């Protein structure tokens, strides 16, 4: 500062600003004037130096220099000054903290003022002009989009018109977050957010007509309707805006706009004070500490308005008075600090009585100027309350008038021109609640959300941004690719996309049911055995049936889980054959049950992975889901004997879930697992029945037999080991000298050259080979036997896994090699009781309409679908059985059973399973009534099949003997005579 007076004034201003950091001090209108008129120019220079000092200190400052008015009267130029102060750029200062000021309230008043001038300039003299002036005002405001008109020569800014950023963007952010937090795909969320933004923008621009969308929710509209300052102008009680009443709020805004327009037409002090009120309210809001962005804590210096050379004709005097008047009426503190310089001869204009006596006389010459200013300020604060009373009409209450002595205005030497330094420490809110911190936090949140999405998408089958379906998860399978393992709830499907475009491949049976590898000349499968339905079709039908049950039969249904291999082979993309066939049987039972019974059945498929390699993980998901859903009563499936089968069954025991398996022939599970009920004949009993055939192949003298088993090292397959063990035991019992040899499988193809060459090169080659392997290995075995053993007669004995093979001319079955294998079902004998299975299959299963549906149908003859169907029927019977019999009061659909069905819990279902006896099933009679605990039951269905080449070169598959389920009649060598003639395939 160039003078001591400037240094002292600057020190006092900095004292006020320092208090502003922690409190809300009274901000006066500091009016500086000289004691002598000759020093007026020096006072104006001092005010400009103060502005430069505050600007360097980081205060937001604005300067409105005095200028000659073009319009008579002081209120009009003063209002013009206030309008100019409504431009945010006016308050820009280098080093100013936080973002620009916003003046929405002043812009609204300016918009109405511009509309009034536009309407009045084109007013008509017609009699009805006065009546429609209100309507024309609203039309003009709508044309302006309730915004001030741009200055002459500047283009019309369409940004605020098209994008009402005050509400469209926040609404879009809220809608976007709601979409993103839902469990949807990322592209769906982004599309939804963009769509909402476009919709709101279109509504904002085209639909409102008279006002922008969300006008009644703007902060300026709420102030416009609720401020008590406008009550005398409006002449009515204040209205209020409500979020849920846009029409009522709009009408209130329109009425208030017309009232304010009338006041603006009058001009004078009302017009000026309305502009000042809006300005002060905007500044107060810009420094509000309790705001979402803590802007009041970041802007630690108040705005300072400098009025150098304020006079009457330029509007400065009127502006000072208007600020004081508005503050007196409102009695609310605002942060604006006004520093003005007034000519000595114009000071009297600040007094309403035009008295020449100053409001705050200068201090005695003996006191320093700084102390004089401080004492004057204290006196002003003490007298402020009384100064605002009507009896004190001779002064401007909020004016702190300071007369600067001539001696203090002398220029100082350069080395003495020091000034009070501003505090350099930024506010804590500026550091913590700032755009860089928000940006960093936003990047971290986006990164965490992205990582969460990536992690969930790589861990679970169905996942959104923050949520996932935990009933299924992605686990690396035996082929190296991820498989979806668990229980299908929600929208989870196990069928791969595009699977429903064609058939699912060859049929299957037995526990080794997935076809491993594409058809080849050595694979015993043909296109005639293609299943007419796909896994995707069956899953969709189950999902639709479940939806109907959940929607219409709450409290009247039970839930059953099918657990099977539902993963497609990643190497060739072939769909799961066993899973598709078994799940079709489950759905067939569900559809028939829900059509005929009051208690409905809900089915949830569960995937154990390719070849059931992840069935233990699947059991965990089933058990966890069962804890949440008390309607789950049991599990059907688990049709593959693996090293994890015992642990899997034990996990389901812990969950209290019984298991009814259709094709798992493990002989160790029933004696160890009390929850295990199986329709499949166990491996040890199968071997005994094959002994009936092997005994007929025995001739006098020493005979050699060999057990040719797949090498299971590195595999969890127990079925092969059980077949090898019980097969060797049966051969020895029949008097054969038995050896066991293992063969390798390389690149999914059995390597049997060395084993077959060694067998055929012996002096007395084995006449019987017990083959403990997979069906896909039989083709290479036949090829090697026919090429290396010549005309030697060989009988190949194997278990139920060969049931899944379909034989045709392409299969290498020669006249010298005869195959004998087990089938777990005797569908031919069971069909004699005319079960409803085949009729229901034609009605409900996809792709069977118009087909010949019988036990001879290639897609049903392997028994896979029939076994899973009967297992489902048995579990449902136990889960819906009532304790009391009331044959006279039964619904029509239940009279055939003689009992009234009621949903049971899983414990009761487990107990009821030992009372189940169902006749006329697809496999015969399912009877668990005499199934012992911790022991294997009797009465399994079985069929012994012979496969050989006929005289015409066609493969002949002949049922030698068998019995349906529930029949306990022992098979005999006479009934299973291997010399009976062939039956055409």
């Amino acid at each position: 500062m160039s003078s001591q007076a400037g240094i002292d004034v600057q020190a006092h201003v900095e004292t006020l600003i320092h208090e502003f950091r922690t409190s809300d001090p009274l901000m006066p209108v500091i009016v500086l004037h000289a004691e002598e008129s000759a020093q007026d120019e020096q006072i104006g220079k001092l005010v400009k130096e103060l502005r430069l000092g505050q600007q360097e200190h980081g205060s937001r400052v604005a300067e409105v220099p005095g200028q000659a008015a073009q319009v008579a009267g002081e209120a009009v130029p003063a209002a013009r000054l206030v309008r100019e102060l409504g431009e945010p750029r006016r308050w820009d200062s280098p080093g100013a903290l936080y973002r620009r000021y916003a003046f929405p309230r002043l812009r609204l008043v300016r918009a109405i003022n511009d509309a009034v001038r536009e309407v009045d300039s084109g007013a008509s003299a017609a009699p009805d002009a006065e009546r429609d002036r209100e309507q024309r005002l609203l039309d003009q405001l709508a044309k302006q989009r309730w915004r001030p008109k741009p200055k002459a020569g500047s283009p019309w800014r369409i940004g605020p018109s098209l994008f009402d950023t005050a509400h469209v963007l926040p609404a879009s952010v809220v809608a976007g977050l709601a979409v993103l937090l839902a469990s949807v795909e990322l592209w769906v969320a982004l599309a939804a957010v963009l769509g909402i933004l476009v919709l709101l923008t279109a509504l904002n621009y085209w639909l409102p007509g008279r006002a922008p969308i969300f006008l009644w929710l703007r902060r300026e509209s709420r102030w416009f309707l609720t401020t008590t300052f406008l009550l005398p102008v409006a002449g009515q009680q204040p209205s209020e805006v409500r979020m849920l009443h846009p029409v009522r709020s709009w009408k209130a805004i329109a009425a208030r706009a017309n009232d304010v327009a009338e006041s603006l037409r009058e001009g004078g002090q009302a017009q000026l004070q309305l502009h000042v009120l809006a300005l002060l309210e905007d500044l107060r809001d810009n420094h509000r500490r309790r705001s979402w962005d803590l802007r009041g804590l970041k802007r630690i210096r108040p705005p300072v308005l400098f009025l150098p050379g304020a006079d009457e004709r330029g509007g400065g005097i009127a502006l000072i008075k208007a600020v004081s008047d508005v503050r007196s009426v409102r009695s609310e503190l605002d942060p604006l600090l006004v520093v003005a310089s007034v000519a000595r001869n114009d000071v009297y204009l600040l007094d309403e009585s035009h008295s020449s006596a100053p409001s705050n006389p200068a201090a005695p010459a003996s006191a320093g100027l700084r102390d004089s200013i401080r004492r004057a300020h204290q006196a002003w604060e003490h007298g402020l309350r009384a100064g605002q009373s009507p009896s004190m009409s001779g002064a401007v209450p909020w004016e702190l008038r300071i007369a600067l002595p001539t001696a203090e205005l002398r220029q100082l030497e350069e080395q003495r021109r020091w000034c009070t330094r501003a505090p350099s420490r930024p506010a804590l809110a500026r550091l913590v609640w700032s755009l860089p911190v928000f940006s960093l936090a936003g990047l971290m949140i986006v990164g965490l959300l992205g990582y969460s999405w990536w992690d969930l998408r790589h861990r679970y089958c169905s996942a959104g941004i923050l949520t996932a379906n935990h009933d299924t998860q992605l686990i690396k399978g035996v082929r190296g690719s991820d498989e979806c393992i668990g229980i299908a709830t929600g929208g989870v499907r196990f069928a791969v996309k595009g699977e429903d475009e064609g058939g699912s491949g060859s049929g299957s049976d037995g526990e080794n049911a997935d076809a491993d590898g594409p058809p080849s000349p050595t694979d015993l499968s043909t296109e005639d055995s293609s299943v007419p339905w796909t896994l995707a079709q069956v899953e969709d039908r189950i999902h639709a049936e479940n939806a109907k049950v959940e929607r219409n039969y709450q409290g009247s249904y039970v839930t059953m889980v099918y657990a099977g291999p539902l993963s497609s082979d990643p190497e060739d993309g072939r769909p799961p054959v066993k899973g598709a066939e078994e799940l079709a049987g489950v759905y067939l039972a569900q559809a028939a049950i829900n059509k005929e019974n009051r208690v409905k059945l809900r089915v949830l498929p569960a995937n154990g992975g390719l070849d059931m390699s992840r069935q233990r993980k699947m059991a965990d998901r089933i058990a966890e889901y069962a804890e949440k859903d008390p309607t789950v009563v049991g599990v059907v499936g688990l049709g593959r004997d693996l090293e994890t089968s015992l642990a899997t069954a034990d996990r389901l025991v812990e969950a209290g879930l019984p298991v009814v398996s259709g094709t798992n022939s493990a002989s160790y599970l029933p004696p160890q697992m009390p929850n295990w009920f199986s329709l499949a004949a166990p491996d040890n009993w199968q071997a005994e029945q094959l002994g009936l055939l092997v005994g007929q192949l025995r001739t006098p003298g020493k005979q050699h037999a060999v057990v040719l088993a797949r090498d299971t090292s590195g595999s969890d397959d127990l079925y092969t080991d059980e077949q090898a063990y019980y097969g060797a035991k049966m051969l020895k019992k029949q008097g054969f000298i038995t050896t066991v040899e293992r063969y390798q499988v390389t690149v999914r193809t059995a390597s049997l050259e060395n084993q077959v060459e060694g067998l055929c090169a012996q002096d007395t080659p084995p006449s019987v080979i017990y083959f403990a392997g997979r069906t896909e290995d039989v083709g290479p075995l036949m090829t090697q036997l026919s090429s290396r053993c010549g005309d030697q007669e060989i009988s190949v004995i194997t278990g139920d896994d060969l049931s899944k093979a379909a034989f045709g001319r392409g299969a290498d079955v020669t006249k010298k090699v005869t195959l004998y294998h087990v089938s777990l079902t005797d569908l031919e004998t069971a069909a004699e009781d005319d079960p409803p299975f085949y009729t229901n299959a034609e009605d409900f299963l996809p792709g069977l309409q118009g087909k010949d549906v019988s036990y001879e149908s290639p897609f049903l003859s392997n028994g896979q679908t029939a076994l899973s169907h009967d297992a489902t029927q048995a579990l449902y019977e136990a889960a819906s059985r009532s304790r009391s019999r009331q044959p006279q009061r039964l619904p029509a659909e239940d009279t055939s059973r003689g009992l009234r069905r009621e949903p049971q819990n899983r414990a009761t279902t487990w107990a009821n399973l030992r009372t189940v006896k169902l006749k006329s099933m697809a496999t015969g009679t399912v009877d668990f009534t005499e199934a012992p605990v911790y022991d294997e039951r009797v009465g399994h269905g079985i069929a012994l099949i012979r496969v050989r080449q006929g005289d015409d070169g066609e493969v002949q598959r002949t049922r030698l003997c068998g019995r349906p389920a529930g029949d306990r009649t022992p098979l005999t060598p006479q009934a299973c005579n291997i010399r009976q003639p062939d039956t055409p395939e």
Side-chain angles (χ1 to χ4, degrees), residues 183 460-463 468-473 484-494 539 542-543 546-547 550 557 559-562 566 602-607 618 621-629 631-632:
S183 181
Y460 299 101
C461 307
S462 176
N469 185 335
H470 291 261
D471 297 327
T472 52
Q473 63 182 119
C484 185
I485 304 300
I487 182 170
T489 58
V492 174
R493 300 287 192 277
F494 297 118
E539 280 191 297
I542 289 177
H543 180 75
N546 289 344
E550 294 168 358
Y557 69 84
T559 301
M560 183 209 74
V561 178
Y562 163 74
L566 298 176
R602 175 170 166 255
V603 173
L604 295 178
N607 183 24
M618 173 192 66
R621 300 286 81 77
I622 294 175
E624 291 170 4
Y625 179 80
E627 293 180 0
K628 302 180 294 183
D629 189 350
T631 67
V632 177

Side-chain angles (χ1 to χ4, degrees), residues 529-749:
S529 62
S530 295
V531 178
W533 59 81
T534 66
L535 177 61
Q537 290 174 328
V538 177
E539 280 191 297
D540 288 342
R541 295 203 176 194
I542 289 177
H543 180 75
E545 191 71 25
N546 289 344
K548 182 171 63 176
V549 169
E550 294 168 358
R551 182 175 59 253
N552 301 327
Y553 301 98
Q554 285 290 333
S556 298
Y557 69 84
V558 293
T559 301
M560 183 209 74
V561 178
Y562 163 74
L566 298 176
S567 291
S568 297
D569 195 325
E571 293 189 5
D572 55 23
R574 298 187 70 192
V577 181
K578 176 183 177 66
E581 291 185 338
E582 283 192 333
L583 192 60
V586 173
Y587 165 68
L588 178 56
Q590 179 192 26
I593 287 169
N594 290 346
K595 179 181 179 181
E596 299 294 337
N597 296 282
R598 183 175 63 88
V599 176
K600 306 302 179 181
L601 177 62
R602 175 170 166 255
V603 173
L604 295 178
N607 183 24
L610 191 66
D611 293 338
M612 294 293 285
S613 59
R614 294 293 180 265
Q615 63 175 353
R616 182 61 178 82
K617 294 287 187 180
M618 173 192 66
D620 289 336
R621 300 286 81 77
I622 294 175
E624 291 170 4
Y625 179 80
E627 293 180 0
K628 302 180 294 183
D629 189 350
T631 67
V632 177
V633 295
V635 177
V636 167
L638 296 179
R640 185 171 170 83
D641 183 13
L642 304 173
E643 291 180 359
T644 56
S645 294
L646 195 62
T648 299
D650 187 59
R651 181 68 180 91
L652 296 178
V653 167
E654 295 175 1
L657 294 171
V659 178
V660 182
S661 178
T663 60
N664 195 324
S665 60
S667 56
Y668 61 88
L669 285 173
Q672 298 186 57
M673 291 291 107
N675 66 330
W676 191 266
F677 299 83
S678 180
L679 303 184
D683 293 328
N684 56 346
W685 189 73
Q686 286 187 39
E688 291 179 9
Q689 307 313 305
L690 287 173
L692 300 177
L693 305 181
V694 172
Q696 301 178 56
L697 297 172
R698 179 78 168 83
T699 58
K702 293 183 179 180
Q703 282 193 283
H704 295 272
V706 64
V707 176
L708 194 57
R710 176 186 268 202
D711 186 2
T712 58
S713 58
S715 169
D716 60 352
D717 185 11
L718 279 185
Y719 170 77
T720 297
D721 292 339
E722 277 211 342
Q723 287 286 324
Y725 173 77
Y726 291 116
K729 186 176 180 180
M730 178 270 294
L731 290 173
K732 292 178 181 179
K733 183 178 180 180
Q734 295 296 330
F736 284 85
I737 300 174
T738 307
T739 59
V740 179
E741 294 192 19
R742 296 278 180 171
Y743 66 91
Q744 301 289 330
V745 177
T746 58
V747 197
R748 303 176 62 191
T749 302

Side-chain angles (χ1 to χ4, degrees), residues 221-407:
S221 298
R222 294 194 300 269
W223 165 81
F224 194 51
L225 291 176
T226 57
T227 179
T228 57
F229 187 88
L230 294 177
L231 281 179
V233 177
Q236 59 183 5
Q237 294 299 319
S239 302
E240 60 179 349
V241 293
R242 295 183 181 180
M243 181 177 296
L244 301 181
H245 295 83
V247 176
R248 184 187 305 174
S249 301
W250 157 245
K251 290 180 178 179
I253 293 174
R256 179 61 59 90
N258 280 296
D259 290 339
V260 171
E262 292 299 325
S263 176
L264 293 174
R265 288 189 178 96
E266 296 173 3
Q269 290 299 317
Q271 179 186 28
L272 174 60
Q273 290 180 4
L274 184 58
H275 282 79
V276 171
L277 170 68
L279 173 67
L280 296 181
E281 185 65 25
D282 281 331
L283 290 174
R284 191 162 70 95
D285 186 55
N286 281 307
H287 285 267
R288 193 184 306 275
R289 290 185 173 92
R290 295 181 179 180
S291 57
W292 70 269
D293 57 350
L294 304 180
R295 51 185 175 267
L297 297 177
K298 298 174 185 178
R299 292 167 173 154
I300 56 179
R301 302 181 68 87
V304 186
L305 174 61
F306 292 95
L307 300 174
D311 57 10
E312 183 177 17
R313 292 188 59 82
I317 300 295
L319 179 57
I320 293 173
K321 289 182 178 181
V323 170
S324 179
D325 291 343
V326 171
R327 285 177 172 175
S328 298
V329 174
R330 294 288 292 158
S331 298
E332 291 183 357
L333 298 181
D334 60 77
L336 179 63
L337 176 62
V338 181
V339 180
S341 65
V342 180
R344 180 65 185 86
N345 296 331
D346 291 339
V347 172
Y348 76 97
L349 298 175
L350 292 171
D351 299 322
E352 193 170 318
S353 62
H354 287 188
S355 171
S356 60
S359 300
N360 298 293
S366 58
L369 179 59
R370 186 172 303 187
D371 289 338
S372 299
I373 295 174
R374 179 175 55 82
R375 291 172 183 174
H377 186 95
Q378 291 175 351
W380 168 76
E381 283 187 338
H382 289 309
L384 184 61
R385 180 178 300 176
Q388 295 184 78
S389 62
S391 62
M392 301 293 293
S393 59
V396 179
W398 284 84
E399 171 205 359
L400 174 59
R401 191 179 306 175
I402 300 174
L404 299 179
T406 302

